[in-house]
Amino acid sequence: MTMQQIDARALRDAFGAFPTGVTVVTARDAAGLPIGFTANSFTSVSLDPPLLLVCLAKTSRNFTTMTGAGHFAINVLSETQKDISNTFARPVEDRFATVEWSGGADGCPILADVAAWFECAMEEVIDAGDHVILMGRIASFQNSSHNGLGYTRGGYFTPMLASKAVSAATDGNIELAAVVEHEGDILLLGDDILSLPSCEGRDGSPTDILSGYLQELTGLSVTIGFLYSVYEGKSDGRHHIVYRAFASQGEPRQGKFLKPEALSKARFKTSSTADIVTRFALESRIGNFGVYFGDETSGTVRPVSTKVARA
């Protein structure tokens, strides 16, 4: 796509292909009240001097307060804090009422149980198109033993959780499958009886094997996202590993993209496939994905967070 043809939504989706961490940026307003918002456009800048940056939209409700703040903090959320991310991303009146926090040395709110935090003096505010860049000079920081929460293509992922689940399942007969989505629709194979695209697992990286299969099947560019389900099939004695995946624009060579919410009366190859599609339709609606562990009849969906933050 050339510069003359840039589509803002398509560009945003392309930016979303880059996996990032998730942070909550905090400060105090002129009255001393805590403010905070979720941001993933954060990066380290320099060790000497110790600098970091985060980007802030000019349309943000926090724009005036943040650009005028003398200090701010970056809270790097841990794998168990997805609900905190959601709380600080929504227009909630008192976001801090649902979380445990304390004041840093310079007064910035520091959230409990984060993977790491950095309290900074505002070094510079740099104009950058429809955003500004907040450059911070790190005054104090702390690093915990928690793993960070990840975010890519509009969804959260937990790297350690995914790797442990795959390792646990790779000691037997494996089927790899994917919920391949494009603009909210998912790819299903078959006409009267529908199934997810799947292939045999073998030695090597499951994501590489699945990616190669899906691109050959569809003729589209397919990116593997995060783990979605790991379950043991009682009827076939196999381990099933299902990922979310994301396809480029175009008609697939095989199968068709269908709206998951319109499939309540569809017939599926297996009951587990029906369960996955039903769950995906629900989670897409509420924007809150988890990872299923169990067998084809019973199990649990492991949310990224064990705390429920009320909006």
Side-chain angles (χ1 to χ4, degrees):
M1 190 171 285
T2 67
M3 289 299 293
Q4 290 76 24
Q5 299 172 319
I6 288 291
D7 176 88
R9 176 58 185 270
L11 180 60
R12 182 176 181 175
D13 290 346
F15 282 151
F18 181 64
T20 68
V22 185
T23 73
V24 169
V25 183
T26 58
R28 300 268 188 175
D29 65 14
L33 297 175
I35 65 164
F37 60 93
T38 301
N40 66 340
S41 54
F42 155 75
T43 186
S44 58
V45 174
S46 170
L47 294 177
D48 186 16
L51 299 174
L52 55 75
L53 67 79
V54 66
C55 296
L56 174 68
K58 291 179 179 177
T59 56
S60 170
R61 60 186 281 186
N62 299 298
F63 180 81
T64 300
T65 300
M66 287 302 306
T67 53
H71 297 85
F72 66 92
I74 303 290
N75 296 270
V76 181
L77 299 186
S78 71
E79 284 188 314
T80 62
Q81 294 180 315
K82 181 177 70 173
D83 284 313
I84 293 178
S85 171
N86 290 336
T87 296
F88 280 83
R90 300 181 185 127
V92 180
E93 193 61 34
D94 187 1
R95 296 167 171 174
F96 288 88
T98 62
V99 298
E100 182 181 347
W101 62 280
S102 58
D106 290 308
C108 298
I110 305 298
L111 305 185
D113 299 321
V114 293
W117 58 262
F118 307 87
E119 192 171 30
C120 307
M122 186 73 76
E123 181 80 1
E124 190 175 0
V125 178
I126 305 168
D127 187 76
D130 55 11
H131 282 61
V132 292
I133 298 170
L134 306 179
M135 185 82 71
R137 182 180 288 257
I138 300 166
S140 58
F141 70 96
Q142 190 171 92
N143 182 27
S144 76
S145 60
H146 302 311
N147 294 301
L149 175 62
Y151 192 80
T152 186
R153 293 194 183 274
Y156 297 100
F157 67 94
T158 54
M160 287 300 293
L161 183 62
S163 63
K164 288 178 181 178
V166 173
S167 296
T170 54
D171 59 354
N173 192 16
I174 301 168
E175 181 183 79
L176 303 174
V179 179
V180 182
E181 56 187 289
H182 178 72
E183 295 183 350
D185 297 346
I186 60 173
L187 179 68
L188 291 165
L189 307 180
D191 295 315
D192 296 330
I193 300 177
L194 304 176
S195 63
L196 294 173
S198 61
C199 65
E200 296 289 328
R202 58 182 187 273
D203 290 341
S205 165
T207 55
D208 288 346
I209 295 166
L210 188 59
S211 178
Y213 160 74
L214 292 172
Q215 296 194 68
E216 177 66 25
L217 177 78
T218 64
L220 305 174
S221 175
V222 179
T223 302
I224 304 298
F226 56 85
L227 195 66
Y228 194 61
S229 290
V230 178
Y231 65 94
E232 182 180 359
K234 291 183 176 180
S235 58
D236 61 12
R238 310 182 75 189
H239 290 294
H240 297 262
I241 302 175
V242 184
Y243 288 86
R244 280 183 72 189
F246 305 87
S248 62
Q249 182 73 40
E251 289 295 322
R253 287 176 185 156
Q254 297 186 47
K256 50 189 174 289
F257 284 101
L258 300 170
K259 296 188 180 301
E261 63 273 15
L263 297 172
S264 60
K265 296 183 180 180
R267 296 173 63 198
F268 293 95
K269 184 177 179 180
T270 65
S271 61
S272 56
T273 301
D275 290 342
I276 288 171
V277 172
T278 299
R279 178 181 142 225
F280 184 81
L282 172 63
E283 292 181 335
S284 295
R285 217 163 40 241
I286 64 177
N288 192 16
F289 293 90
V291 185
Y292 175 87
F293 296 93
D295 56 41
E296 61 191 307
T297 59
S298 64
T300 58
V301 176
R302 293 270 298 276
V304 178
S305 177
T306 56
K307 296 181 180 179
V308 178
R310 300 296 181 187

